[in-house]
Amino acid sequence: MTDGTEHQHKVDPYTGKATTGHEWDGIAELNTPLPRWWLWSFYATIAWAFLYWIAYPAWPLISGATDGVLGWHSRAAIAQDVADLVSLRDPMNAKLAASSLKDIENTPELFSFARAEGAAAFANNCAPCHGAGGQGSKGYPNLNAGRWLWGGTLEQIQATITHGARWDADPETHSSLMPSFGRDNMLKPDEIVAAANYVRSLSGLPTDPDANLAKGKQVFADNCAACHGPEGKGNLELGAPNLTTKVWLYGSDRAAIINRINNGGGGVMPAWGAKLSPVTIKALAVYVHSLGGGQ
Amino acid sequence: MNASLKIAPAPVHDEAEDFASLYEAAQKVYPQRVSGFFRRLKWIILVLALGVYYLLPFVRWHRGANEPSQAVLVDFGHRRFYFFFIELWPQEVYFFTGLLILAALTLFLMNAVAGRVWCGYLCPQTVWTDLFLAVERWIEGDRRERMRKDSSPMTLRRAGEKAAKHAIWLLIAWWTGGAWVLYFADAPTLVAQLAAFQAPFVAYAAIGVLTATTYALAGHLREQVCLYMCPWPRIQAALTDENALNVTYRVDRGEPRNSMKKAALLRQASEKSGDCIDCLQCVAVCPTGVDIRDGANLGCIQCGLCIDACDAVMKKIGRAPRLIAYDTDINIKRRQAGLAPIYRLIRPRTVLYAALIALIGAVMLYALLGRDYFGIAVIHDRNPLYVRTASGAIRNAYAVRLTNKKSETERFRLAVSGVPGASMEIFGGERDSSGADVIEVGPDKTQEVRVLVSTAIAQPSGSIPVSFVARTEDGVAEVAADHFWSP
């Protein structure tokens, strides 16, 4: 390849090599051609690029890109992978669908599968409110603790996940709501303070030194016991929390309890039956139940 | 260029030195047929080594219904390694580390005793090259014939010979690759699959790659591998000492070299003449094409074939054998000084290597024999670290994984200790007739359960140590430690 050029350009007297013919201030550049293998590898990569453009989607257009003749598409490849995974899990999912929640929890093979599937579904759907480990936060129930608003058996958990809480779009949702005793002038401020003190005393928390617990008890019996029960043990039918435990959804201090009595209301949970498959909800119920609070 | 600028004349320059090529073209080596003790030894080792390599995957070893019955099997799919009575799990990979250390130390010991024993007799490059050379000799004839044929014009017969040689080489190479993949799956099944073109793609790909490398390395590259690709000759040269036995040309006996006639004349005149008659047979038989008479040499793989060749010549001319022999430079000097040769097999380095081999081997054997069939591993839940339950108790959650390496199902009972007033709840286990929790782990399997530990007794803030004990029905106990966290 260099034979032709060597005669055209000057030969460097020191090295005996041909120069490129370029000269800067008397300094000439030796002609050192690329190794043949390198050059041909380079040409091969260019050829490869052309073949690639033809075979695979390559050039961006206004909407989309050129289609390769192989018809390969990354989105289709992912869809295929997902479909493969679903079909791989199908036999076990069929077993989940056919078994009762209790049987799933008592069969190690089904249990570990349901827990794995439930953990993934929990991370995707539930963790934003209930926390990565189901530990909850203020206003979002802790699912580990064993105090339930709507019940902690496998079936109750499954029902709550399916229909949600105060989720109007689902006719079977848990819909009861705590009244706003203060805001709606159903109780006077001193009555609210007395009731709050009495509620704190139910779970053994200290009360104000000048608290009128007798008055609080009376207020509680007249206004709160209908839902929370005469002893404050709550009512799962109405989502009325048990007030005698160590677990508090909105906090146990005086101000937090007064705030609840004043404003009432309750948290909202979507009805996941509209979004998740029944098998996934089963897996979720088993997972949540096994977090530790299950009954 | 500025004409007024005075340019000093160029200094005298040795261009050849400046631009000498650093590339050394390979000289084709035509090793000659030879027979003798070392050649026989090499054939025996070759047959044994290749026999083991090609046939071992077909050896059966019964392990029970739930396990594969192949004596040596690397089962990547199920993450197990089987070697006769040994079954290794991935977490026991340190046995391979130990094996590699043993292999390295054995190599060093061999080197300290007798130089490049590995290179000359055992290295796959040597063994397969030997086999390929035998094929070449069988088809194309011995050294001179091959040299003549290579320098003659191509004929139809010659082309036929070449085609036959390469076909047989490729066949051996293909079989080599084929035997390799059999170590990674049930051999008879895989052979049937391969024949029916139903084997996994990776099997065909591995066979293809190994066919190509075997054909290239043993058929074409040969001694170039030892000279340029292999690090061991360099390392070996740094590790050896003056007492190691090496294939040595005994200069004291051989020099000065003379033709037989001249040597006879000199001896008649009671002048000294060496035993070497410069017949070059040692060079002709050498598979790497070196001249052993030049002394210790990186290209010499110390296969001993030159000893055989020289011994045959010595016998013919009526001189004592072993003009080339396993010997040391020390002994050459001692003989020249009229002293008896010394062979020091027991030296600090041989003792040290042997002791290290024995020590590591003993540790590995101890670990292997005392290995547990069962295991327990515990991971504390990361989030939440602890839970205050409705009743005010503190609860921690753990993932406990039990391992059963036996080929029968094993039933474990779990206990926890270290937390005062602790109660335990297990998810994922079973209950026996008395209502106690039992965790059943299948043969050669692991099983994870979720364990909740609660206590109503207030613990110090932070963490306290807690231990889990899994007991088999035979009373074998496995213990794992973790922590119990409190607010």
Side-chain angles (χ1 to χ4, degrees):
Chain A
M1 194 173 79
T2 53
D3 284 352
T5 52
E6 265 174 43
H7 294 297
Q8 286 166 15
H9 297 300
K10 288 178 191 165
V11 172
D12 175 63
Y14 289 95
T15 61
K17 277 192 161 190
T19 68
T20 56
H22 307 151
E23 206 172 295
W24 297 271
D25 293 341
I27 300 170
E29 185 188 11
L30 293 184
N31 182 17
T32 312
L34 291 165
R36 201 66 68 89
W37 66 265
W38 193 98
L39 202 62
W40 283 109
S41 307
F42 181 59
Y43 292 151
T45 58
I46 294 173
W48 176 264
F50 278 103
L51 292 174
Y52 192 94
W53 291 341
I54 296 165
Y56 287 96
W59 286 96
L61 303 174
I62 302 285
S63 59
T66 53
D67 270 335
V69 291
L70 293 184
W72 184 89
H73 207 277
S74 60
R75 214 169 271 264
I78 289 173
Q80 183 59 44
D81 283 354
V82 171
D84 287 349
L85 195 66
V86 168
S87 68
L88 190 70
R89 290 178 182 165
D90 267 349
M92 282 303 278
N93 275 326
K95 279 190 197 171
L96 283 197
S99 310
S100 74
L101 288 164
K102 198 79 209 160
D103 285 347
I104 293 172
E105 196 160 89
N106 288 333
T107 315
E109 186 200 13
L110 291 179
F111 176 71
S112 51
F113 181 80
R115 239 185 90 78
E117 192 163 290
F122 190 90
N124 279 342
N125 301 291
C126 317
C129 293
H130 287 287
Q135 75 275 29
S137 61
K138 188 175 174 183
Y140 301 99
N142 182 343
L143 305 174
N144 292 266
R147 193 198 72 157
W148 300 91
L149 298 177
W150 310 98
T153 67
L154 281 164
E155 282 74 20
Q156 285 166 331
I157 294 171
Q158 185 187 25
T160 303
I161 298 171
T162 307
H163 302 297
R166 305 173 188 105
W167 190 256
D168 296 336
D170 191 309
E172 290 177 63
T173 195
H174 301 304
S175 55
S176 56
L177 204 63
M178 176 160 163
S180 312
F181 289 97
R183 212 168 59 200
D184 294 346
N185 295 321
M186 294 159 79
L187 289 174
K188 295 188 190 74
D190 63 317
E191 290 173 324
I192 291 174
V193 171
N197 271 300
Y198 175 71
V199 166
R200 276 173 66 82
S201 76
L202 286 175
S203 58
L205 292 169
T207 54
D208 293 344
D210 58 346
N212 187 344
L213 290 179
K215 181 180 174 187
K217 187 174 182 180
Q218 191 57 49
V219 173
F220 189 87
D222 294 343
N223 298 280
C224 316
C227 293
H228 288 285
E231 291 162 353
K233 299 266 190 200
N235 184 341
L236 297 178
E237 289 297 310
L238 303 169
N242 185 343
L243 301 173
T244 65
T245 73
K246 306 290 181 194
V247 181
W248 296 86
L249 182 54
Y250 293 94
S252 62
D253 58 61
R254 188 174 171 277
I257 295 171
I258 289 173
N259 182 20
R260 293 295 302 146
I261 301 173
N262 254 324
N263 296 312
V268 176
M269 170 165 153
W272 293 98
K275 192 185 171 197
L276 303 176
S277 75
V279 172
T280 308
I281 289 179
K282 262 184 156 174
L284 266 174
V286 170
Y287 174 76
V288 170
H289 191 252
S290 73
L291 283 176
Q295 286 160 350
Chain B
M1 199 181 287
N2 192 337
S4 67
L5 200 73
K6 203 169 175 191
I7 295 175
V12 181
H13 220 85
D14 185 350
E15 286 185 14
E17 191 181 283
D18 267 14
F19 299 99
S21 175
L22 295 174
Y23 179 77
E24 191 190 358
Q27 297 265 332
K28 193 167 179 193
V29 180
Y30 295 89
Q32 184 175 287
R33 189 195 309 271
V34 64
S35 60
F37 173 78
F38 290 101
R39 182 63 266 183
R40 257 197 312 284
L41 183 64
K42 271 169 72 75
W43 283 132
I44 292 167
I45 291 172
L46 182 144
V47 169
L48 285 178
L50 292 183
V52 167
Y53 174 72
Y54 288 123
L55 300 177
L56 192 55
F58 295 98
V59 176
R60 303 286 97 183
W61 187 269
H62 189 67
R63 294 190 181 85
N66 298 310
E67 310 228 17
S69 54
Q70 185 160 322
V72 179
L73 177 67
V74 182
D75 190 347
F76 278 125
H78 300 98
R79 301 180 188 84
R80 298 283 183 279
F81 171 66
Y82 299 96
F83 185 84
F84 294 94
F85 62 97
I86 302 170
E87 179 190 338
L88 295 183
W89 288 44
Q91 62 266 41
E92 294 168 316
V93 74
Y94 49 78
F95 281 111
F96 290 98
T97 314
L99 213 57
L100 288 175
I101 294 171
L102 278 185
L105 286 172
T106 309
L107 193 62
F108 298 165
L109 179 61
M110 284 198 285
N111 177 37
V113 172
R116 288 165 67 174
V117 178
W118 170 260
C119 302
Y121 305 91
L122 296 163
C123 175
Q125 177 63 23
T126 292
V127 171
W128 263 279
T129 301
D130 242 11
L131 184 64
F132 275 48
L133 271 172
V135 171
E136 191 171 78
R137 260 200 296 272
W138 177 53
I139 291 176
E140 297 185 349
D142 207 358
R143 174 180 161 89
R144 276 159 206 255
E145 215 172 330
R146 294 206 303 279
M147 291 168 92
R148 181 178 56 76
K149 283 176 178 173
D150 270 2
S151 57
S152 313
M154 178 66 85
T155 62
L156 201 61
R157 188 187 156 76
R158 178 84 183 117
E161 275 182 4
K162 280 202 162 205
K165 177 181 81 175
H166 288 282
I168 295 176
W169 279 0
L170 278 168
L171 210 64
I172 298 172
W174 168 76
W175 194 20
T176 304
W180 177 260
V181 298
L182 298 183
Y183 284 90
F184 298 87
D186 184 59
T189 316
L190 185 58
V191 168
Q193 283 177 341
L194 285 168
F197 295 103
Q198 284 168 343
F201 171 74
V202 64
Y204 292 108
I207 294 175
V209 168
L210 279 158
T211 304
T213 52
T214 310
Y215 173 72
L217 294 178
H220 295 281
L221 289 171
R222 293 188 180 168
E223 80 285 349
Q224 301 287 308
V225 174
C226 314
L227 292 174
Y228 297 112
M229 291 164 72
C230 181
W232 177 234
R234 276 88 180 160
I235 302 169
Q236 186 268 342
L239 278 177
T240 196
D241 69 348
E242 69 282 10
N243 283 305
L245 288 169
N246 285 312
V247 174
T248 308
Y249 166 64
R250 287 171 164 160
V251 195
D252 53 313
R253 243 189 79 186
E255 301 295 324
R257 328 175 177 163
N258 282 307
S259 71
M260 269 179 74
K261 250 184 211 161
K262 199 172 173 198
L265 287 172
L266 281 169
R267 288 196 191 104
Q268 265 180 353
S270 359
E271 280 182 54
K272 184 175 162 42
S273 179
D275 281 348
C276 179
I277 56 168
D278 213 4
C279 65
L280 290 172
Q281 285 299 293
C282 52
V283 180
V285 300
C286 180
T288 60
V290 303
D291 188 341
I292 190 68
R293 297 171 301 172
D294 294 344
N297 189 327
L298 183 136
C300 173
I301 59 168
Q302 299 190 10
C303 59
L305 293 184
C306 49
I307 304 181
D308 284 345
C310 192
D311 279 1
V313 172
M314 288 299 117
K315 195 176 170 192
K316 242 179 241 167
I317 65 168
R319 311 291 298 180
R322 298 295 145 98
L323 173 57
I324 302 172
Y326 272 97
D327 206 348
T328 64
D329 284 349
I330 290 184
N331 284 342
I332 290 175
K333 291 210 181 78
R334 285 179 68 91
R335 273 194 295 267
Q336 278 171 338
L339 298 166
I342 49 162
Y343 297 96
R344 291 184 56 215
L345 186 62
I346 297 167
R347 314 195 292 280
R349 70 177 62 200
T350 55
V351 171
L352 183 69
Y353 290 145
L356 279 174
I357 289 170
L359 179 73
I360 292 166
V363 168
M364 278 177 66
L365 201 66
Y366 176 78
L368 194 66
L369 295 179
R371 213 153 55 113
D372 266 346
Y373 281 101
F374 311 114
I376 180 173
V378 178
I379 303 178
H380 194 290
D381 263 17
R382 286 191 178 196
N383 187 11
L385 268 186
Y386 53 80
V387 175
R388 185 184 289 285
T389 66
S391 66
I394 296 300
R395 192 176 62 214
N396 282 216
Y398 305 84
V400 176
R401 185 171 283 277
L402 298 170
T403 300
N404 173 22
K405 296 181 188 173
K406 282 206 160 165
S407 54
E408 304 98 46
T409 299
E410 198 64 48
R411 292 155 69 80
F412 294 89
R413 274 162 215 282
L414 197 63
V416 64
S417 62
V419 182
S423 65
M424 186 172 65
E425 198 182 346
I426 298 176
F427 283 91
E430 288 166 61
R431 297 239 158 72
D432 65 6
S433 49
S434 67
D437 280 303
V438 174
I439 303 155
E440 202 174 88
V441 187
D444 205 34
K445 284 203 161 57
T446 68
Q447 174 72 43
E448 189 182 286
V449 292
R450 182 170 167 80
V451 177
L452 307 174
V453 177
S454 331
T455 178
I457 301 169
Q459 303 299 323
S461 181
S463 73
I464 54 170
V466 59
S467 66
F468 292 87
V469 183
R471 262 197 190 78
T472 66
E473 283 174 336
D474 299 335
V476 182
E478 295 290 333
V479 184
D482 209 303
H483 289 86
F484 185 92
W485 290 81
S486 301

